[in-house]
Amino acid sequence: MAPVGLLLVGVVTAVAGLLLEAAAPASATLPRVEHPPKAGGTLAVLAVGDWGRRGQFNQTLVAQQMGVVGQKMDIDFVISTGDNIYDDGIANTSDPLFKESFSNIYTAKSLQKPWYLVLGNHDYTGNPLAQLDPAIRNVDSRYTAIAKSFIVNSGIADFFLIDTTPFILHYWNKTKFDWRGVSPRDTYITNQLKDLGYALTESKAHGVDMYVNGHDHCLQRISSRDSHLEFLTSGGGSKAWAGKFKATPDKVEFLYDGQGFMSMRLSKTEAHLAFFDVTGKALHCWGLTKNAAAGR
């Protein structure tokens, strides 16, 4: 079954357009994880970001409701949009902060599925390589970040998890960040764009439908004014940014500056999405459709 949708997962909305412009083939290819869908031809996913605070700032309550929704949907996996561990990532794979902020929090049976993760700026101020180390799965087998950027191929949709933190020049002027494997920046970004562009052209899906990010501590849906692309923020995993937002030339369909998460149910021709708050209330639900043969 060829996938009919693509989804980019990143950290900062400002670079979304830049990521989609790359098209030149590169010598390297993005690593890939195969995650076949369940029988029936649908895929159920939760997305959450900006969460790891030892359960504080309502992280535990969000996790509980993720478990409830995850059970109802019989989810296949969870996507983390970055800023996985506060305030400065983890020091190594045996750092107790990892269990205190992840394993001991997301305990619901429905959440015992793979978690596919990208790094956020707070993860980069610790030891980002520790979160990529296969040894971390000896601590918790769910935690899956096989590279800083990689693809999850679900058969229904291709998920491109892209490391966007290095694109932000402001971070490079701060010595707190650990840029091992990234510096020199220009080379890293150029190669990343080429690899992404090549992967997009090689994908059997029909065009990018959504860009999902964290970093902003809110839940938000923005429709592009000049394409069918939707920009979705799921960064409400713990501490919220009450009252902080910027104007955009695109259309803000929904904005909630509290804690919560997002759900996706995908088929070959339809996507049903929703934002949930810390009580499990569905705040905003919507659907997308596309022609499986033509793409859109």
Side-chain angles (χ1 to χ4, degrees), residues 9 24 55 79 84 106 121-122 125 140 149 157 192 203 231 243 264 293:
V9 177
I79 292 286
N84 307 316
Y106 301 99
N121 56 296
H122 284 275
T125 59
D140 195 312
S149 295
Q192 174 120 286
S203 174
F231 300 97
M264 294 179 271

Side-chain angles (χ1 to χ4, degrees), residues 28-269:
T29 57
L30 294 176
R32 182 180 294 267
V33 175
E34 300 292 337
H35 194 120
K38 298 186 295 289
T42 63
L43 185 78
V45 179
L46 299 183
V48 66
D50 306 86
W51 41 267
R53 296 182 185 270
R54 291 191 174 102
Q56 299 175 350
F57 296 100
N58 285 343
Q59 182 195 359
T60 298
L61 296 181
V62 173
Q64 290 172 351
Q65 295 305 322
M66 288 176 63
V68 172
V69 174
Q71 181 178 5
K72 291 178 180 178
M73 295 182 64
D74 188 20
I75 62 168
D76 294 271
F77 55 84
V78 179
I79 292 286
S80 173
T81 58
D83 281 352
N84 307 316
I85 310 292
Y86 284 91
D87 282 322
D88 298 305
I90 54 176
N92 49 58
T93 58
S94 60
D95 191 331
L97 187 57
F98 176 69
K99 282 189 174 182
E100 294 167 0
S101 294
F102 180 65
S103 302
N104 297 349
I105 304 299
Y106 301 99
T107 57
K109 182 178 180 180
S110 66
L111 303 181
Q112 307 307 304
K113 303 291 179 67
W115 284 55
Y116 300 119
L117 307 101
V118 289
L119 301 174
N121 56 296
H122 284 275
D123 302 307
Y124 263 105
T125 59
N127 177 1
L129 300 184
Q131 294 193 45
L132 308 180
D133 191 330
I136 202 166
R137 291 195 289 279
N138 294 329
V139 182
D140 195 312
S141 61
R142 296 175 290 173
Y143 208 81
T144 307
I146 63 171
K148 289 183 177 177
S149 295
F150 63 101
I151 302 169
V152 177
N153 181 7
S154 71
I156 298 294
D158 286 345
F159 294 76
F160 293 77
L161 287 87
I162 304 300
D163 179 29
T164 57
T165 297
F167 285 75
I168 308 305
L169 183 60
H170 169 70
Y171 295 148
W172 286 79
N173 299 323
K174 297 184 177 182
T175 58
K176 195 175 185 180
F177 283 73
D178 182 346
W179 296 123
R180 287 177 295 165
V182 177
S183 183
R185 174 177 179 267
D186 290 346
T187 301
Y188 182 82
I189 290 175
T190 297
N191 289 338
Q192 174 120 286
L193 291 174
K194 287 181 178 179
D195 293 345
L196 174 61
Y198 179 70
L200 289 172
T201 61
E202 289 293 300
S203 174
K204 295 180 181 179
H206 307 298
V208 176
D209 299 294
M210 292 173 274
Y211 179 88
V212 182
N213 64 273
H215 187 72
D216 292 345
H217 296 190
C218 64
L219 305 174
Q220 184 170 240
R221 174 191 173 201
I222 296 176
S223 295
S224 172
R225 61 178 176 175
D226 53 13
S227 77
H228 70 268
L229 187 65
E230 297 217 346
F231 300 97
L232 309 176
T233 299
S234 184
S238 58
K239 188 176 182 179
W241 281 357
K244 292 186 178 182
F245 65 93
K246 294 182 179 180
T248 171
D250 296 306
K251 183 179 179 181
V252 178
E253 305 277 0
F254 174 79
L255 172 63
Y256 175 67
D257 57 356
Q259 294 115 339
F261 59 98
M262 184 174 75
S263 72
M264 294 179 271
R265 186 177 295 280
L266 309 176
S267 71
K268 292 182 65 175
T269 57

